[in-house]
Amino acid sequence: MRLKLVPEVTNFDFFKRWKLWLGLSATMMVIGFTSFLLQGLNYGIDFRGGTTIRTEATQALDIGAYRAAIAPLGLGDITITEVFDPNFAEDQHVAMIRIEAQDDGEALSAEVIGTVQTALDTIAPGIKFVQVESVGPKVSGELIQTAFLAVVLAIGAVLVYIWLRFEWQFALGAVIALVHDVVLTIGVFSELQIRFDLAIIAALLTIVGYSLNDTVVVFDRVRENLRRYKQMPLGELLNLSINETLSRTTMTSFTTLLALIALYVLGGDVIRGFVFAMIWGVVVGTYSSIFVASTILLWLGVNRDWTKKNDTSGNQFANIDA
């Protein structure tokens, strides 16, 4: 017995309310962009600067106890992660503590660092601060620029790839869908003020790849059907292609979400922001591959004259493997 989330043969009309889907997407993008302009993002230490402390203790690490001991000091955003290494001794427990930059300077003063060590010593006697490093505002600003450039270059590479593999109309539809996913993800982080750090940038780049994969699967079927049904209206052909790939798309998204939800519930605070971004990205990526990319393609139209031997525009690289 096989699990079927959708029937093998479906006949949904995905373009019956295409104006509603595009209007909904446009509204959500405007809300997200407005939230970003008005209240910005809740940048983590990676982007705001701060101090990183590497600790060693003989007692087993309890992140909750560490956080409770430091919280009364009023140092702002604090991130605590445990470091694992097979070369560590059995009684060697290492943690990385990141504390945001204070208003009066880039780094924590020696006095404040001593206060933090004293607070932790009450729950982990003999704890050592083996390394203390600071990230200043200049480095943080460079990280923001580099992260923004990475996302833009990723989307630009997608534009070129889809253009070579299909036609420019396919490329434009795919890129608009990717921009839609990235803007909505940044918008929800701004609206909910969830901490935004380098892990979220990694999630954004992963979302770009996931959404692109879904879109290419649909577009591949569209290209096959364009050759098979030369007289079928484009709207009907797009509907047919999406319905034919709907089972695969739904099953892929469902199984991915199962793993992500488990990580969100059981993975702890350290990766919760990253996993939330991935869950949101899978949902909006699946939505955009069906309702945004395909609708843009329907609006732009495609070249359906396959009889001209010399006209290979947009298809000369069609056999490139994904």
Side-chain angles (χ1 to χ4, degrees):
M1 181 180 295
R2 295 185 301 168
L3 175 63
K4 296 180 181 178
L5 298 179
V6 296
E8 290 186 359
V9 179
T10 59
N11 191 29
F12 298 115
D13 187 354
F14 294 100
F15 302 104
K16 183 177 181 179
R17 295 183 174 85
W18 66 271
K19 292 182 180 179
L20 173 63
W21 303 127
L22 287 188
L24 177 63
S25 293
T27 301
M28 294 178 65
M29 290 177 69
V30 169
I31 292 174
F33 188 68
T34 302
S35 175
F36 174 75
L37 292 179
L38 293 180
Q39 62 181 4
L41 294 168
N42 178 21
Y43 289 114
I45 293 174
D46 294 331
F47 295 133
R48 284 188 300 187
T51 299
T52 299
I53 303 172
R54 182 184 177 96
T55 70
E56 284 190 11
T58 55
Q59 294 80 11
L61 177 63
D62 185 338
I63 293 179
Y66 275 41
R67 191 183 302 280
I70 300 174
L73 302 179
L75 298 177
D77 185 21
I78 299 173
T79 302
I80 304 173
T81 57
E82 186 171 3
V83 179
F84 296 96
D85 191 313
N87 296 320
F88 286 166
E90 291 185 4
D91 62 346
Q92 185 179 8
H93 303 280
V94 180
M96 297 295 291
I97 303 175
R98 295 179 174 87
I99 304 174
E100 70 174 12
Q102 307 301 298
D103 295 334
D104 56 351
E106 298 181 1
L108 297 180
S109 65
E111 181 181 355
V112 174
I113 293 175
T115 303
V116 173
Q117 186 168 5
T118 301
L120 292 177
D121 194 66
T122 60
I123 59 172
I127 190 171
K128 299 178 181 178
F129 284 10
V130 297
Q131 187 177 19
V132 179
E133 296 180 344
S134 297
V135 177
K138 182 178 179 180
V139 174
S140 300
E142 292 176 353
L143 286 175
I144 293 176
Q145 295 176 8
T146 303
F148 175 77
L149 183 62
V151 175
V152 171
L153 289 178
I155 294 177
V158 167
L159 174 64
V160 175
Y161 168 73
I162 300 295
W163 197 329
L164 293 178
R165 182 173 174 83
F166 300 97
E167 297 179 16
W168 68 268
Q169 296 96 327
F170 289 83
L172 194 56
V175 167
I176 291 176
L178 294 182
V179 172
H180 165 274
D181 299 343
V182 171
V183 170
L184 290 190
T185 303
I186 293 177
V188 76
F189 269 79
S190 173
E191 192 69 32
L192 300 179
Q193 286 296 289
I194 302 172
R195 187 172 63 243
F196 192 91
D197 50 26
L198 285 177
I200 309 305
I201 298 298
L204 285 176
L205 295 175
T206 307
I207 290 169
V208 168
Y210 184 92
S211 179
L212 175 63
N213 181 65
D214 264 355
T215 303
V216 167
V217 168
V218 175
F219 282 179
D220 259 332
R221 186 57 58 90
V222 170
R223 187 174 58 186
E224 292 174 6
N225 287 335
L226 281 171
R227 292 191 176 98
R228 187 178 304 165
Y229 307 105
K230 294 183 172 60
Q231 303 302 320
M232 181 180 291
L234 183 58
E236 294 181 16
L237 188 141
L238 288 172
N239 258 325
L240 174 64
S241 301
I242 297 173
N243 277 287
E244 288 178 345
T245 58
L246 186 61
S247 178
R248 177 265 175 204
T249 299
T250 305
M251 183 60 74
T252 301
S253 299
F254 176 75
T255 53
T256 304
L257 285 174
L258 284 180
L260 290 173
I261 291 172
L263 283 174
Y264 185 82
V265 174
L266 304 174
D269 182 67
V270 175
I271 63 171
R272 189 155 290 153
F274 172 83
V275 177
F276 173 81
M278 288 299 303
I279 292 174
W280 175 262
V282 168
V283 173
V284 298
T286 303
Y287 166 84
S288 67
S289 65
I290 295 174
F291 294 104
V292 178
S294 299
T295 302
I296 295 298
L297 184 60
L298 174 64
W299 180 60
L300 293 174
V302 294
N303 173 30
R304 304 191 64 173
D305 188 358
W306 304 95
T307 61
K308 296 181 180 180
K309 296 182 179 180
N310 294 328
D311 185 7
T312 58
S313 177
N315 296 286
Q316 64 270 40
F317 298 100
N319 293 322
I320 297 177
D321 291 334

